[in-house]
Amino acid sequence: MKLSDPAFFFDTLKTLYTNSDTRSGSTVHVQLAEKVLAIHFSRPEIKVYMLASLSHIVVDNVSSADITIYCFDSPLLTAFPWQARDYGVQGAIEGFNTTRFQTAYQHGSGAVMMYDHDTKEGIYWIKDFTDIPYWERSFPFRSILHWWSRDTSLILLHAAGIGQQHSSALLSGKSGSGKSSTTLSCLLRDDLQIAGDDYVLVDTETSTLYSLYNCAKVEWDNLERLDFLKPLVNTNIKEAEKAMIFMHETCKEKVMQKSKLEYAFIPVVCRANKTTIVECTEAEVLKSIAPTTMFQLPFGQTETFRKCITLSKRLKPYRIELGTNATEIAAAISEFLIDKK
Amino acid sequence: MTYTIDTNKVVSEIFNDEAVIVNLASGAYYSFKGSAITIWQLLGAGYSDEEIIGQFKDAESINKFIAFLVQENLIATSDAVTKQTITIDQPFTLPEYKKYDDMKDLLLLDPIHEVDQTGWPHKKAE
């Protein structure tokens, strides 16, 4: 084996984790749909930093796991076995993505993520964990979990998930479509919960929605309009472009772990007096969920498209024409779900 | 002339009244309605532009649509002579097609020079 072999590089990283002088961290198990993910953190500080968004799905007393991630920082890796020209879109590294291995570089932070499809092991390495960007805290390990989901009927979908225990809906749309505001409006209703505001796991065979990340984000400017969110914002993350709300810490009861997924809502900002929910088409749903999921995450675009087609045909498609009042938006969603019960 | 659709680069799905097409290389995606759906199916099945025009008569709109498909790299000219027969049961309506390129920026970011310290996928401020 040589350095430019992805298997060799994966082993190099794993050895670096094992030999890390700072390794006195801990292992955490989280519920990943119906599977269990073990995350080995090399240091408690990294665990605290990375785990907040996954804290609601932490499980205890687990002896085995279906997938394993090693998350660590180390300054000992000083050079990569690839050239600058090998960086592709979404951080994919030419020559280090095979049928077995996936590798991507996170520009800005300098983190390297790898996944071995055979052993179901992932690695998240960064030189210094304080370089991990704030947004990674909102959806930690998303590339690795996307690669893992490629071998399953699950999809890591770039959409929000909202609803009630008996029934739930995806909320999907472009930036500025009102997706975040609509999702967060659900905090105003006791009978509505949120499975995720940005990414959710969906089983395309069973149409089951699973929560993955409990972090919700909102533009700082929108906080003035949605002032009910102010007490929930984590004020320790001031560098973030968006205010971050770790729902499991501040409003635990609002996090929906799992629900039957029945509807797809496409929010449209109308600035009307009243929020209305009207039927739309399967094609509209596909356009709203597929491209944004396919091009946010490295690799697997064709599989992602096929899974999105399956979902868009399984879910009942609706457009939610948004009024301006958050309380009224939440009421319209609640009434809709109760009516359809 | 006949054309091919490279399914490694272009994926699509046809619904009752709309087709959704995605160019994996550029990140652009498209909505086809009206006879654009049928023309897309016929081209994919190996029909030539002459055969399609012969069927539908409206040379101007069909040529314009095919030129658009070529320009967007959704189809490429081909020497293939085999074709899969398709039964056309819809009357001709003007091809309607719309391009969405809101994903393009995400793919075209130069990963070395166009990211700031907040990291991908944020575009570097001008």
Side-chain angles (χ1 to χ4, degrees):
Chain A
M1 274 205 271
K2 55 184 182 176
L3 204 59
S4 60
D5 182 333
F8 183 81
F9 185 59
F10 189 92
D11 285 343
T12 302
L13 286 177
K14 205 170 158 187
T15 303
L16 208 55
Y17 168 81
T18 307
N19 296 338
S20 173
D21 287 338
T22 58
R23 192 165 66 89
S24 57
S26 57
T27 297
V28 175
H29 291 91
V30 301
Q31 190 74 44
L32 203 57
E34 303 297 336
K35 303 290 184 184
V36 173
L37 159 68
I39 312 171
H40 299 285
F41 293 98
S42 64
R43 297 205 267 152
E45 297 94 321
I46 306 179
K47 176 182 157 188
V48 169
Y49 195 85
M50 293 289 269
L51 202 61
S53 199
L54 296 165
S55 59
H56 64 304
I57 49 174
V58 168
V59 286
D60 297 322
N61 303 318
V62 177
S63 56
S64 64
D66 304 283
I67 166 179
T68 303
I69 293 176
Y70 301 93
C71 176
F72 69 110
D73 67 349
S74 167
L76 298 178
L77 184 71
T78 53
F80 297 130
W82 53 77
Q83 307 296 314
R85 63 174 180 271
D86 296 328
Y87 291 115
V89 292
Q90 297 144 332
I93 298 161
E94 179 75 28
F96 284 78
N97 286 280
T98 62
T99 52
R100 179 174 172 183
F101 290 99
Q102 311 260 224
T103 311
Y105 178 78
Q106 194 174 53
H107 295 287
S109 70
V112 171
M113 292 153 287
M114 285 195 87
Y115 182 67
D116 180 342
H117 286 275
D118 283 2
T119 62
K120 295 182 171 48
E121 290 178 309
I123 290 176
Y124 184 99
W125 168 86
I126 192 162
K127 185 173 270 184
D128 183 331
F129 88 94
T130 59
D131 292 335
I132 296 173
Y134 79 90
W135 39 264
E136 182 71 18
R137 294 186 70 181
S138 71
F139 39 61
F141 314 119
R142 70 174 168 162
S143 293
I144 294 172
L145 298 178
H146 162 61
W147 294 329
W148 164 75
S149 73
R150 292 183 61 190
D151 302 326
T152 73
S153 57
L154 294 160
I155 181 171
L156 180 58
L157 201 68
H158 188 213
I162 58 169
Q164 299 168 333
Q165 280 305 322
H166 67 275
S167 177
S168 59
L170 291 177
L171 263 172
S172 56
K174 297 174 188 173
S175 176
S177 65
K179 182 185 73 169
S180 293
S181 301
T182 306
T183 304
L184 291 166
S185 75
C186 295
L187 295 174
L188 290 164
R189 293 278 307 196
D190 287 345
D191 62 342
L192 291 177
Q193 290 182 300
I194 299 172
D197 89 319
D198 207 7
Y199 284 93
V200 287
L201 269 176
V202 177
D203 191 316
T204 54
E205 285 181 358
T206 62
S207 298
T208 308
L209 172 70
Y210 297 95
S211 177
L212 182 57
Y213 303 123
N214 73 72
C215 180
K217 299 181 289 297
V218 60
E219 302 278 354
W220 290 106
D221 290 349
N222 279 346
L223 269 187
E224 294 309 313
R225 189 169 58 82
L226 304 168
D227 62 353
F228 63 94
L229 297 174
K230 284 181 181 172
L232 307 177
V233 170
N234 185 322
T235 53
N236 293 325
I237 311 174
K238 294 190 175 69
E239 78 282 11
E241 286 174 354
K242 293 180 180 180
M244 297 171 80
I245 297 166
F246 292 98
M247 294 184 288
H248 187 60
E249 292 171 5
T250 54
C251 48
K252 190 180 287 191
E253 72 286 356
K254 299 304 296 183
V255 184
M256 181 168 59
Q257 302 263 359
K258 173 182 174 181
S259 179
K260 183 170 188 251
L261 186 60
E262 291 194 274
Y263 307 101
F265 291 161
I266 303 173
V268 181
V269 175
C270 293
R271 305 202 186 286
N273 290 331
K274 191 168 179 272
T275 293
T276 49
I277 300 176
V278 297
E279 284 185 33
C280 67
T281 65
E282 295 171 345
E284 284 179 77
V285 172
L286 184 64
K287 284 186 288 184
S288 76
I289 62 173
T292 187
T293 302
M294 293 162 70
F295 297 113
Q296 288 278 353
L297 299 166
F299 292 99
Q301 277 87 1
T302 302
E303 295 151 18
T304 298
F305 188 66
R306 294 290 155 219
K307 287 179 178 177
C308 288
I309 291 169
T310 303
L311 261 187
S312 61
K313 290 182 175 177
R314 276 178 171 262
L315 303 180
K316 300 180 185 83
Y318 288 89
R319 187 167 48 245
I320 177 163
E321 298 171 350
L322 301 170
T324 52
N325 183 289
T327 306
E328 204 266 329
I329 291 170
I333 293 169
S334 171
E335 285 164 22
F336 175 89
L337 293 174
I338 290 168
D339 281 352
K340 297 284 180 185
K341 198 170 177 180
Chain B
M1 186 177 291
T2 58
Y3 299 86
T4 57
I5 300 167
D6 184 347
T7 54
N8 290 317
K9 294 177 182 167
V10 177
V11 290
S12 63
E13 179 65 13
I14 296 168
F15 296 91
N16 288 339
D17 54 358
E18 185 174 357
V20 177
I21 288 83
V22 183
N23 184 327
L24 299 177
S26 70
Y29 57 105
Y30 308 82
S31 163
F32 294 172
K33 290 182 179 176
S35 287
I37 300 171
T38 311
I39 296 168
W40 174 254
Q41 287 175 300
L42 291 169
L43 290 169
Y47 283 71
S48 69
D49 45 5
E50 293 89 351
E51 288 173 302
I52 296 170
I53 291 166
Q55 178 75 33
F56 287 135
K57 311 299 182 197
D58 189 338
E60 186 183 347
S61 69
I62 293 170
N63 280 329
K64 191 176 166 191
F65 178 52
I66 292 175
F68 172 80
L69 297 176
V70 172
Q71 182 190 312
E72 295 296 318
N73 294 315
L74 297 176
I75 58 173
T77 55
S78 163
D79 298 327
V81 289
T82 57
K83 71 179 179 192
Q84 178 195 344
T85 304
I86 289 184
T87 306
I88 302 162
D89 51 10
Q90 300 283 333
F92 182 79
T93 57
L94 273 180
E96 294 175 45
Y97 42 103
K98 185 173 180 183
K99 176 181 179 180
Y100 302 85
D101 58 6
D102 48 296
M103 296 294 128
K104 194 173 163 187
D105 285 353
L106 207 58
L107 288 182
L108 297 185
L109 284 177
D110 176 334
I112 303 302
H113 300 104
E114 292 194 59
V115 288
D116 62 21
Q117 287 309 304
T118 63
W120 181 89
H122 302 273
K123 278 185 97 170
K124 189 174 183 177
E126 295 297 330

